[in-house]
Amino acid sequence: MTDVKPVLRLEGIVKTFPGVRALDGLSFDVLPGEVHALMGENGAGKSTSMKVLGGIYQPDEGAIIMGDEQVVMNGPLEAKAKGIVFIHQELSLAEELSVAENIYLGELPRKSFGRVDWALLYERTDAILKKLKVGFNARTRVGDLSIANQQMVEIARALTVDAKAVIFDEPTASLTDAEKVVLFDVIADLQAEGVGIIYISHRMEEIFKITDRITVLRDGQYVGTVETKNTDEERVTQMMIGRKLDLSRNVSHHELGNVALEVRGLSCGKLYSDVSFEVRRGEVLGFYGLVGAGRTEIAETLFGLREPSAGQILLDGEEVRISSPADAIARGISLVPEDRKGQGLVLGMNCRDNMTLPQVDDLKAGPFMAEGAEVAIFDQYRDKLDIRTPGWKQRVGNLSGGNQQKIVIGKWLSMHPNVLIVDEPTRGIDVGSKSEIHKLLRGLAAQGYAVIVISSEMPEVLHVSDRIVAMYSGRVMRTFTSEEVTEDNLIQAISGLTDDRAA
Ligand SMILES: Nc1ncnc2c1ncn2[C@@H]1O[C@H](COP(=O)(O)OP(=O)(O)OP(=O)(O)O)[C@@H](O)[C@H]1O
Ligand SMILES: [Mg+2]
């Protein structure tokens, strides 16, 4: 690999924001046809470095080299013109416009007299969409697409450019397994064309499956670059967080309390049917299954967002009807939603206000108390969850992705719920913080909360759960205790293959 000329090189990049040294001398290069992973904890500076490369931020110091020349990216369009394509961590699409308009925004094909050539636009777009094997077309309104499909639109947009380097910033965070396969195919095609790929992800399996080299950042500093085939998860983790992690399975040490929540024969139209389970105080109940198995919909029902078509919900042994989120909160049920952007956070608001949002009315009781009380809550959960921010006044939109997720978790924890439901709690969260959040969830159970964890990551459910409900296509296939569950029987259950002990 040594005599191949890199497609680009970053040299000694420094970038500061008020109170934060986000990048402190980052250098690495990307070779043609390689997939180069960028790894590091939440807030390490991964997205910032790519925003510098993509012309969104100007570096305070350092240089970007392409070919033999130093280049300056005076904005995203200039970067794009130089062949740098950036697929963002946070989606940046115009919801009101069609898929085709989003893909060719600013570059719509035109006929004479400047009128948009719609036929050509749709034809070109559909050709790209066909490659991506998606289930929507050029005319679909972007706002009507799922987050995963919106992500595919971003990827489609990248394919319209004659790219030298393509940056994927956590592209798989909301993709299904089938969509991931398509994405990896797209990446392989780009590689074959000699494009350099920069790939940011917290998911080790992916990193070890598709990348050639890994560059690690810690607190804005360059730690090192290693060849993927010469390293392993443990060593990369150590580079990222400077210590080893305990990734063993959970063993419960505390006593379980009474049943906090019981669900009997719960159904919701075609989404799920005849679902029964219980969760005790002191217990973490995991829900595992493929996307579309009905797990999120069950959570939404318990949180008053969906009305069940049949069945019963019992809290502390008493049947209840939960007709709205306010109702759920009043009864001590909290839901940390899957999509933090849409449902969890107000990006323009500061950290403290986001965290105390659901309790603003309670805290307002005394006008002079409120400020102090809110800051105290923020401080407490910042420490508990290790939220990296220069202070509570920071806009949540300026935090790194993982730290945003921690704010959402803090917000619901600070309500002291009896039943805490977390949907994909560590999506986009680095390994170190992930294990902190797992510990935190275990700790909450130990304190007597009933905790429900919905996850698509098998190591996660295995690690945190006392028992695991395996779902397939809207049904509970089997409930496992942590003693009897294995990776094999769990996969079998969520694939709809039951054995004779199936529930
Ligand atoms: N526009 C901004 N204003 C102020 N601070 C910022 C801004 N953008 C990033 N930061 C800070 O810079 C640091 C690096 O953030 P960055 O988004 O690059 O992290 P990351 O490595 O991408 O993390 P994650 O894995 O959570 O996405 C963080 O401390 C973040 O809060
Ligand atoms: Mg990021």
Side-chain angles (χ1 to χ4, degrees):
M1 268 190 169
T2 38
D3 44 356
V4 184
K5 228 189 187 142
V7 286
L8 65 88
R9 201 163 81 229
L10 298 187
E11 256 180 31
I13 303 283
V14 173
K15 177 72 194 168
T16 52
F17 298 108
V20 190
R21 200 167 172 86
L23 291 173
D24 193 10
L26 171 65
S27 307
F28 74 99
D29 60 15
V30 181
L31 300 172
E34 86 163 329
V35 181
H36 195 125
L38 210 50
M39 297 197 76
E41 291 182 277
N42 296 128
K46 302 177 297 293
S47 295
T48 303
S49 67
M50 291 303 104
K51 286 177 185 165
V52 168
L53 180 57
I56 296 162
Y57 297 147
Q58 292 306 312
D60 303 338
E61 287 171 41
I64 301 168
I65 319 278
M66 292 183 79
D68 292 318
E69 294 167 41
Q70 177 170 349
V71 292
V72 177
M73 309 292 188
N74 284 312
L77 286 178
E78 210 174 302
K80 199 171 167 187
K82 294 196 164 85
I84 307 288
V85 174
F86 195 165
I87 295 160
H88 287 269
Q89 179 172 19
E90 316 298 355
L91 298 169
S92 56
L93 298 169
E95 301 211 333
E96 290 309 314
L97 299 182
S98 68
V99 168
E101 288 166 295
N102 266 284
I103 290 176
Y104 285 99
L105 205 62
E107 296 159 324
L108 296 174
R110 297 194 186 264
K111 295 196 263 206
S112 44
F113 307 114
R115 291 221 305 272
V116 173
D117 188 341
W118 293 103
L120 182 61
L121 173 67
Y122 291 139
E123 187 188 315
R124 279 190 190 164
T125 306
D126 281 328
I128 294 174
L129 296 179
K130 202 169 150 205
K131 243 196 205 168
L132 293 174
K133 303 185 186 87
V134 293
F136 55 88
N137 65 43
R139 291 175 168 81
T140 312
R141 202 183 75 101
V142 161
D144 294 335
L145 296 174
S146 67
I147 300 187
N149 278 330
Q150 292 188 16
Q151 186 85 39
M152 294 311 268
V153 175
E154 292 259 3
I155 292 167
R157 189 154 65 179
L159 298 182
T160 65
V161 180
D162 190 14
K164 290 208 166 53
V166 180
I167 303 161
F168 291 92
D169 195 349
E170 296 196 43
T172 57
S174 53
L175 297 189
T176 64
D177 286 339
E179 288 161 335
K180 270 184 230 171
V181 171
V182 175
L183 173 70
F184 294 159
D185 281 350
V186 170
I187 289 178
D189 286 350
L190 290 168
Q191 264 183 291
E193 289 165 22
V195 176
I197 312 282
I198 302 176
Y199 192 85
I200 302 178
S201 173
H202 291 292
R203 300 196 166 163
M204 292 282 187
E205 335 83 75
E206 289 173 6
I207 297 287
F208 280 89
K209 189 166 157 194
I210 69 162
T211 73
D212 300 298
R213 290 192 296 164
I214 303 172
T215 288
V216 176
L217 296 179
R218 196 195 307 153
D219 293 330
Q221 308 224 344
Y222 173 76
V223 177
T225 301
V226 290
E227 299 222 354
T228 309
K229 61 175 190 296
N230 295 334
T231 188
D232 58 28
E233 264 186 47
E234 203 177 308
R235 269 182 279 181
V236 172
T237 303
Q238 184 138 24
M239 283 172 82
M240 282 169 59
I241 65 177
R243 64 189 154 86
K244 286 199 175 159
L245 275 184
D246 169 23
L247 293 173
S248 59
R249 277 220 201 156
N250 133 65
V251 206
S252 199
H253 296 300
H254 53 270
E255 298 275 303
L256 295 187
N258 60 322
V259 174
L261 168 74
E262 186 182 351
V263 164
R264 289 186 196 151
L266 202 67
S267 301
C268 186
K270 286 182 187 154
L271 296 170
Y272 60 85
S273 56
D274 200 18
V275 168
S276 301
F277 63 86
E278 54 177 50
V279 52
R280 295 176 172 273
R281 288 178 199 281
E283 184 177 43
V284 178
L285 183 66
F287 272 77
Y288 187 64
L290 300 172
V291 174
R295 299 163 303 160
T296 294
E297 289 76 10
I298 292 171
E300 287 170 352
T301 307
L302 295 173
F303 196 58
L305 290 165
R306 290 181 188 275
E307 197 173 343
S309 47
Q312 295 169 294
I313 301 171
L314 295 89
L315 285 172
D316 287 323
E318 245 178 75
E319 186 172 355
V320 293
R321 262 201 69 220
I322 302 166
S323 51
S324 68
D327 209 12
I329 291 169
R331 293 178 188 282
I333 300 179
S334 281
L335 171 66
V336 178
E338 177 179 25
D339 161 21
R340 65 173 175 262
K341 265 294 174 47
Q343 303 168 31
L345 289 176
V346 185
L347 294 179
M349 222 153 89
N350 71 39
C351 293
R352 179 201 68 186
D353 292 349
N354 264 288
M355 198 176 278
T356 55
L357 199 57
Q359 353 179 22
V360 162
D361 291 340
D362 295 342
L363 293 169
K364 270 203 186 118
F368 300 105
M369 295 278 299
E371 276 275 290
E374 285 186 74
V375 174
I377 290 175
F378 174 75
D379 283 348
Q380 186 187 348
Y381 289 93
R382 182 199 53 208
D383 293 348
K384 251 194 186 158
L385 296 166
D386 190 22
I387 297 170
R388 309 268 174 95
T389 159
W392 63 260
K393 288 184 181 151
Q394 184 69 271
R395 282 177 65 237
V396 160
N398 285 346
L399 294 191
S400 75
N403 282 301
Q404 291 182 7
Q405 174 73 339
K406 292 185 188 177
I407 297 266
V408 182
I409 295 178
K411 172 169 106 173
W412 293 107
L413 284 184
S414 69
M415 310 274 297
H416 304 294
N418 294 320
V419 179
L420 177 70
I421 308 170
V422 287
D423 196 353
E424 303 289 356
T426 61
R427 175 173 287 170
I429 291 200
D430 68 63
V431 280
S433 311
K434 211 176 206 172
S435 93
E436 292 302 315
I437 287 172
H438 291 164
K439 245 189 256 162
L440 197 104
L441 293 171
R442 299 289 320 152
L444 289 169
Q447 287 167 36
Y449 294 101
V451 181
I452 294 178
V453 175
I454 300 172
S455 176
S456 302
E457 287 186 48
M458 183 174 313
E460 176 159 277
V461 268
L462 288 175
H463 187 62
V464 297
S465 314
D466 293 299
R467 288 185 304 129
I468 299 172
V469 176
M471 290 197 64
Y472 168 74
S473 186
R475 290 180 177 272
V476 173
M477 302 308 285
R478 192 171 156 187
T479 303
F480 295 92
T481 62
S482 59
E483 291 81 38
E484 64 192 2
V485 71
T486 64
E487 291 193 11
D488 284 345
N489 59 20
L490 194 52
I491 288 179
Q492 203 173 53
I494 63 145
S495 313
L497 310 162
T498 47
D499 61 31
D500 46 23
R501 285 165 301 168

